[in-house]
């Protein structure tokens, strides 16, 4: 072949390479993925594992959690509310997200992959070893997330236009016979001067079969006609489709199965709107009164000669046994706003007991007598509870820290027919305090609280006449000032649907300081009285 022929062949090869370069499609942009906070991942260890694996894989573009949180804050979404499917669907367009990864860490890691529309694409339970994922699991998870970020589009193409793919493969050989399409394969061979004419000869040999489009399936034998030195023609259409389907073969079925809109989202945990408690109560009461001192212990420590005046000691020989009940209402508990924590707490209890009473006077000590007494407590409190979640178990109720305050009344009455010089105790006072509930298991919560009594003076009440109340003060002094408190600790939980239990112990104490001259002997300068109760409640709860 002449030198001009060689130059012409080389020119054709270079032109075909330029044409192929121009036809190469631009690389698609990497899908954007954000890894949200994992519930129960206290030190953010597992989330950082997943984020590092996705970054190392290089198949997705990570959106930082800080950037997502900033966008959520602008949309007034905070905490768990920013990780819901609705929140992802709201924020995805602004951040150009393709997928979001969220999870719950407990004994295992429950992973959920959400699409840009908040749709659940995939769920998976992975075992945790000492609070971490194994290296193999985190690699597989990262690969699955990277694939799922682009799967929704790929799955739609594979499901609906599946039939048209075959015609494209069948028609592809029609474009193969023209010389323009065959020449690009020539540069795949060695770039030596002698083999250069071979591509030209191949083009000439293949060019004549133009009128045989019906023999498209016979395209593979065509390369066999070339002499043994010619390179085989690749089948780009068949191979490319096969490669694409193989790449998506493993995760694609999962995406089709779990991307249905019918997949239910896990229920959001909230405090119950109504909680009713009914049960029994056991009460131990202790009362002492001493003249001219600041405490009962101070009077008892004096020498016997200096212990002048009437003293009163009351100890319940047997505990008060009775009934108790409590109703909690949080009418806005289902609201998404901060007002959901407001509520009302109503309580009532009444106990009965046979009590042994001894009164010491200037003439001696009265015989021990047994009297029947009752102890009645009524309360009406407003409350506000701030909820939080310590553990990731979705079966657990929310914990809370709360404030409460209102009015409380406690009345101790002695049977009038007992004929003992012992008055009752009637108190009505404002109160305020704190409460906390910590969930440990679905069937176990630890509850604690405290109240401060604001001026719980004796002689005030709603269940006795005025004369009886005034006598409580005048016997021991002209005026009285009082202070008191209570503290409680217990456990509760649900054991069968909304039905649960509660066991709680409570200790309360009130101190009365009397001034002025009292009616009893030795109370010329007033004195002090202390009333202490220990209550144990037990019973069943119903929460709705």
């Amino acid at each position: 072949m002449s030198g001009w022929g060689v130059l012409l062949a080389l020119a054709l090869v270079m032109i075909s390479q330029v044409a192929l370069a121009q036809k190469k499609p631009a690389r698609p942009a990497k899908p954007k993925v954000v890894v949200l906070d994992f519930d129960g991942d206290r030190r953010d260890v597992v989330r950082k594992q997943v984020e590092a694996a996705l970054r190392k894989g290089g198949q997705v573009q990570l959106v930082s959690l800080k950037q997502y949180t900033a966008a959520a804050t602008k949309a007034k979404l905070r905490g768990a509310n920013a990780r819901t499917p609705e929140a992802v669907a709201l924020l995805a367009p602004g951040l150009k997200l393709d997928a979001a990864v969220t999870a719950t860490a407990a004994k295992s890691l429950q992973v959920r992959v959400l699409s840009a529309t908040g749709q659940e694409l995939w769920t998976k339970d992975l075992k945790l070893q000492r609070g971490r994922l194994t290296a193999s699991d985190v690699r597989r998870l990262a690969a699955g997330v990277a694939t799922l970020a682009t799967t929704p589009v790929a799955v739609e193409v594979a499901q609906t236009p599946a039939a048209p793919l075959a015609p494209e493969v069948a028609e592809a050989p029609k474009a193969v016979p023209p010389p323009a399409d065959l020449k690009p394969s020539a540069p795949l061979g060695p770039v030596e001067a002698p083999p250069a004419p071979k591509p030209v000869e191949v083009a000439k040999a293949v060019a004549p079969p133009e009128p045989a489009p019906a023999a498209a399936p016979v395209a593979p034998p065509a390369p066999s006609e070339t002499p043994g030195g010619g390179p085989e023609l690749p089948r780009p259409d068949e191979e490319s489709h096969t490669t694409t389907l193989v790449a998506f073969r493993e995760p694609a079925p999962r995406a089709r199965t779990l991307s249905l809109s019918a997949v239910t989202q896990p229920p959001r945990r909230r405090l119950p709107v109504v909680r009713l408690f009914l049960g029994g109560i056991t009460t131990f009461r202790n009362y002492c009164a001493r003249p001219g001192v600041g405490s009962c212990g101070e009077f008892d420590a004096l020498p016997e000669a200096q212990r002048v005046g009437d003293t009163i000691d009351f100890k319940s020989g047997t505990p008060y046994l009775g009934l108790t009940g409590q109703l909690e209402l949080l009418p806005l508990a289902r609201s998404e706003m901060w007002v959901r924590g407001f509520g009302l707490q109503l309580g009532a209890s009444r106990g009965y007991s046979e009590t042994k009473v001894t009164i010491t006077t200037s003439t001696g000590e009265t015989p021990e007598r047994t009297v029947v007494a009752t102890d009645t407590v009524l309360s009406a409190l407003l409350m506000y509870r701030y909820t939080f979640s310590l553990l990731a178990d979705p079966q657990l109720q929310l914990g809370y820290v709360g404030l409460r305050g209102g009015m409380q009344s406690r009345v101790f009455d002695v049977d009038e027919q007992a004929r003992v010089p012992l008055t009752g105790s009637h108190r009505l006072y404002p109160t305020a305090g704190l409460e906390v509930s910590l969930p440990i298991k679905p069937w176990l919560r630890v509850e604690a609280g405290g109240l401060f009594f604001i001026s719980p003076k004796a002689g005030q009440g709603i269940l006795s006449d005025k004369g009886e109340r005034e006598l409580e003060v005048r016997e021991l002094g002209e005026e009285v000032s009082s202070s008191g408190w209570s503290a409680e600790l217990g456990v509760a939980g649900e054991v069968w649907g909304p039905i649960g239990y509660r066991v709680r112990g409570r200790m309360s104490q009130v101190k009365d300081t009397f001034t002025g001259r009292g009616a009893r002997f030795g109370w010329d300068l007033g004195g002090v009285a202390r009333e202490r109760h220990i209550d144990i409640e037990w019973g069943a709860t119903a929460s709705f």
Side-chain angles (χ1 to χ4, degrees), residues 129-434:
Q129 296 183 0
R130 297 182 179 178
R132 298 175 63 90
L133 288 171
T134 62
S136 60
D137 283 346
V138 75
R139 282 197 303 268
R140 292 172 185 170
L141 176 59
V145 171
T147 303
L148 288 167
T150 54
T151 295
V153 176
V155 169
E156 291 176 6
V157 174
Q159 288 178 347
T160 305
L165 288 178
E168 290 178 8
V169 176
E171 293 174 2
K174 295 181 181 179
V176 175
D181 291 335
L182 292 174
K183 290 178 182 178
S185 61
L188 297 176
V191 191
E192 297 179 0
K198 292 182 181 180
V200 178
E201 294 176 3
V202 172
K204 292 178 180 178
V206 179
E210 290 182 0
V218 193
S224 62
E225 296 176 2
T226 59
E232 292 186 359
L233 294 175
R235 289 171 288 178
D237 295 310
E238 295 179 3
E239 292 297 323
S240 62
H241 286 295
T242 303
T243 303
T244 304
L245 293 176
V246 171
F248 289 92
R249 183 174 298 165
E250 181 176 353
R254 300 177 185 174
R256 292 191 189 106
T257 303
L258 298 176
S259 63
L260 300 176
S261 59
V263 176
T264 58
Q265 303 295 337
R268 299 187 65 184
R269 293 174 289 176
R270 294 182 176 91
L271 290 177
V273 176
V274 178
R275 175 172 286 161
L276 178 65
F277 167 73
L278 293 174
I281 184 170
T282 301
T283 301
F284 298 87
R285 184 177 185 268
N286 183 289
Y287 181 88
C288 70
R290 302 289 188 269
V293 293
S295 68
C296 294
E298 181 182 346
F299 183 91
D300 295 340
L302 294 174
E304 186 174 354
Q306 298 181 14
R307 297 183 217 166
V308 180
D310 292 344
T311 63
I312 301 175
D313 288 289
F314 177 97
K315 295 181 180 179
S316 53
T318 57
Y320 294 81
L321 297 176
L323 299 175
T324 182
Q326 189 179 76
L327 177 65
E328 293 180 358
L329 297 174
L330 283 85
L332 303 177
R334 297 293 182 263
S335 172
E336 297 295 335
M337 302 177 64
W338 60 272
V339 294
R340 63 179 177 272
F342 282 109
L344 176 66
Q345 186 181 85
L346 303 175
S349 66
R350 187 174 180 87
Y352 302 84
S353 174
E354 290 185 352
T355 304
K356 296 180 180 180
V357 179
T358 300
I359 298 178
T360 303
T361 65
S362 58
T363 59
E365 190 176 271
T366 63
E368 188 177 83
R369 297 182 182 180
T370 301
V371 298
V372 176
T374 60
D375 183 64
T376 305
V377 181
L378 300 174
S379 64
L381 306 177
L382 293 175
M383 59 185 181
Y384 180 80
R385 290 174 174 173
Y386 175 78
T387 59
F388 58 87
S389 176
L390 286 179
L391 301 176
D393 191 340
Q395 297 181 357
L396 289 179
Q397 289 192 2
L398 293 173
Y400 61 82
V401 175
L403 298 172
R404 52 181 176 167
M407 296 297 296
Q408 185 166 315
S409 171
R410 187 148 202 166
V411 176
F412 171 73
D413 275 324
V414 179
D415 186 1
E416 296 180 356
Q417 300 179 357
R419 297 182 180 179
V420 293
L422 178 65
T423 60
S425 172
H426 302 79
R427 304 180 191 274
L428 177 65
Y429 47 89
T431 183
L434 302 172

Side-chain angles (χ1 to χ4, degrees), residues 434-489:
L434 302 172
E435 61 177 347
V436 62
S437 175
L438 301 177
I440 305 299
K441 296 287 185 181
W443 47 269
L444 179 63
R445 296 189 309 273
V446 177
E447 299 180 337
L451 289 172
F452 176 72
F453 303 154
I454 303 172
S455 188
K457 294 181 180 181
Q460 298 180 358
I462 57 177
L463 298 178
S464 59
D465 58 39
K466 185 176 180 180
E468 184 180 357
R469 296 197 303 268
E470 290 179 352
L471 183 62
E472 294 180 27
V473 179
R474 290 180 180 179
E475 282 195 340
L476 305 180
E478 294 178 356
E479 295 182 355
V480 62
S481 60
S482 305
S483 62
W485 55 269
S486 74
E488 58 188 23
L489 178 66

Side-chain angles (χ1 to χ4, degrees), residues 13 63 65 70-71 155 185 527:
V13 170
V63 175
L65 180 60
V155 169
S185 61

Side-chain angles (χ1 to χ4, degrees), residues 44-181:
D44 212 21
V45 175
V46 183
R47 193 193 72 83
K48 289 181 179 178
Q49 270 190 290
V50 176
E51 199 171 56
L54 287 171
R55 186 180 293 109
K56 184 177 180 181
Q59 298 182 26
V60 299
Q61 180 179 350
L62 282 175
V63 175
S64 67
L65 180 60
K66 184 177 181 181
Q67 185 179 357
Y68 181 90
T69 304
T73 303
K74 289 182 180 179
K76 298 182 180 180
L77 297 171
R78 292 179 176 85
N81 292 333
R83 301 192 293 273
T84 62
E86 294 80 3
V88 172
L90 178 64
L91 302 176
L95 299 174
K96 298 181 180 179
L97 289 176
D98 294 290
V101 183
T102 182
T104 298
K107 293 183 179 180
S108 63
L109 186 70
Q110 301 174 357
V111 185
R112 296 172 63 205
V113 180
L114 304 177
S115 69
T117 60
Q119 191 176 17
E120 188 178 81
L121 298 176
W122 188 49
T123 59
K124 182 70 174 177
D125 276 359
L126 299 174
K127 292 183 179 179
L128 292 176
Q129 296 183 0
R130 297 182 179 178
R132 298 175 63 90
L133 288 171
T134 62
S136 60
D137 283 346
V138 75
R139 282 197 303 268
R140 292 172 185 170
L141 176 59
V145 171
T147 303
L148 288 167
T150 54
T151 295
V153 176
V155 169
E156 291 176 6
V157 174
Q159 288 178 347
T160 305
L165 288 178
E168 290 178 8
V169 176
E171 293 174 2
K174 295 181 181 179
V176 175
D181 291 335

